[in-house]
């Protein structure tokens, strides 16, 4: 299918949709005295069940924060840019400097960093996906995380337009997802190979530090359009060409089934296809319908297909 002349709509509609969000954490406003006492024992309280990086940290600024899920403290590295950003947003009063230069977080800064850590480690599933617990997530391990997100919309074969209407997130990062989002995956939009790297990327992506990452904070308009093109190409391939008009219910039902599978059909479409003996079961390959579709192309008009990954 030639998508050179595709027109894309709806980016502005979905750009503010939330893709990821912090795991809620209580704010612990510790006094200087409490932090000084904590300094004496914090290494013994530091989480050892979750390895956040492999070998040595990529980032030199080591910080501690309380992880409410495990009940222990996490020690992790931040980039210069992210440390400066956090101090600017939350104030230096939330940072207690230890004698070795590392820092214990408190207050809103701790809640923010711990919240994003919780989202990555638990909701996106990095901690459970690191099968051997070495702090490094291989491609196979990353496939088990819930790191994927996508836009959904309506692709019009007649006018060659796509209108994005919604987003979906926390999707499995398996082979099917990677195939349909090849450019974005290659650009590192969805995952990093350690919790530490993903935390730094997430803090950077949360441009206004509000504890939510919107679709538009990760995908600009050009990247979004490329991603939509990749989805359409992966699903449709070169099986059909731009088609002309017709109001044939059977034809539209066949196309809907071809694009979205049986689960995407409404009751009327299923009935029409069943009567014609063309209703697929879950084991039927898409290629089985390609010859049928070619025979009805002349009867199809203004056909719209909802794309769901």
């Amino acid at each position: 299918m030639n998508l050179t002349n595709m027109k894309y709509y709806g980016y502005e509609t979905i750009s503010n949709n939330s893709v990821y969000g912090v795991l809620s954490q209580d704010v612990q406003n510790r006094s200087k005295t409490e932090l000084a006492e904590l300094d004496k024992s914090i290494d013994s309280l530091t989480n050892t069940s979750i390895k956040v990086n492999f070998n040595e940290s990529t980032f030199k600024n080591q910080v501690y924060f309380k992880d409410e899920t495990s009940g222990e403290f996490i020690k992790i590295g931040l980039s210069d840019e992210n440390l400066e950003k956090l101090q600017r947003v939350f104030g230096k009063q939330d940072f207690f400097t230890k004698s070795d230069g590392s820092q214990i977080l408190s207050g809103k800064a701790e809640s923010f960093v711990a919240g994003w850590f919780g989202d990555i480690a638990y909701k996106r599933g990095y901690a459970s996906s690191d099968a051997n617990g070495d702090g490094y997530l291989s491609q196979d391990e990353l496939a088990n995380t819930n790191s994927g997100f996508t836009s959904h919309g309506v692709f019009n074969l007649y006018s060659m337009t796509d209108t994005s209407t919604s987003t979906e997130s926390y999707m499995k990062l398996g082979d099917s997802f990677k195939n349909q989002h090849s450019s974005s995956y290659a650009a590192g939009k969805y995952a990093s190979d350690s919790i530490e790297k993903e935390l730094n990327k997430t803090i950077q992506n949360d441009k206004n530090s509000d504890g939510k990452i919107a679709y538009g904070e990760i995908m600009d308009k050009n990247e979004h359009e490329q991603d939509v093109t990749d989805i359409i190409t992966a699903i449709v391939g070169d099986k059909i060409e731009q088609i002309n008009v017709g109001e044939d219910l059977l034809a539209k039902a066949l196309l809907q089934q071809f694009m979205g599978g049986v689960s995407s059909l409404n009751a009327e479409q299923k009935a029409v296809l069943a009567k014609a003996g063309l209703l697929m079961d879950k084991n039927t390959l898409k290629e089985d319908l390609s010859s049928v579709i070619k025979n009805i192309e002349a009867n199809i008009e203004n056909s719209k297909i909802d794309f769901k990954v």
Side-chain angles (χ1 to χ4, degrees), residues 1 3 150-153 155 157 162 176-177 179-181 227-240 255-261 286-287 293 305-309:
M1 174 175 288
L3 301 178
T150 189
S151 63
H152 290 316
F155 173 44
L157 285 167
D162 181 89
S176 176
F177 183 91
N179 289 339
Q180 292 181 19
H181 301 270
D227 191 54
V228 171
T229 300
D230 289 345
I231 294 170
I232 295 171
T233 301
I235 295 175
V236 178
D238 57 0
K239 295 299 179 186
I240 56 178
L255 273 174
Q256 181 67 41
Q257 181 174 235
F258 180 74
M259 300 299 177
K286 290 179 181 179
E287 286 77 0
I293 289 173
I305 296 100
D306 287 334
F307 273 86
K308 299 284 186 183
V309 176

Side-chain angles (χ1 to χ4, degrees), residues 83 105 118 123 270:
L83 181 61
L105 303 184
K123 193 168 182 182
K270 287 181 180 178

Side-chain angles (χ1 to χ4, degrees), residues 158 243-252 255 296-304:
Y158 172 65
I243 54 181
N244 296 319
V245 223
E247 284 293 331
D248 192 303
L249 178 59
L250 174 61
K252 286 188 175 182
L255 273 174
I296 63 168
E297 284 177 353
N299 298 320
I300 303 173
E301 180 176 16
N302 205 22
S303 181
K304 295 181 178 180

Side-chain angles (χ1 to χ4, degrees), residues 93-108:
Q93 76 281 349
D94 284 356
F95 296 79
F96 178 87
T97 304
K98 290 167 54 67
S99 58
D100 63 0
S102 60
Q103 302 192 56
I104 304 173
L105 303 184
S106 183
K108 291 182 179 179

Side-chain angles (χ1 to χ4, degrees), residues 67 94 103 142 147 183 215 218 272 285 287:
D67 170 36
D94 284 356
Q103 302 192 56
L142 283 173
S147 299
S183 299
Y215 183 85
I218 303 180
V272 168
L285 297 176
E287 286 77 0

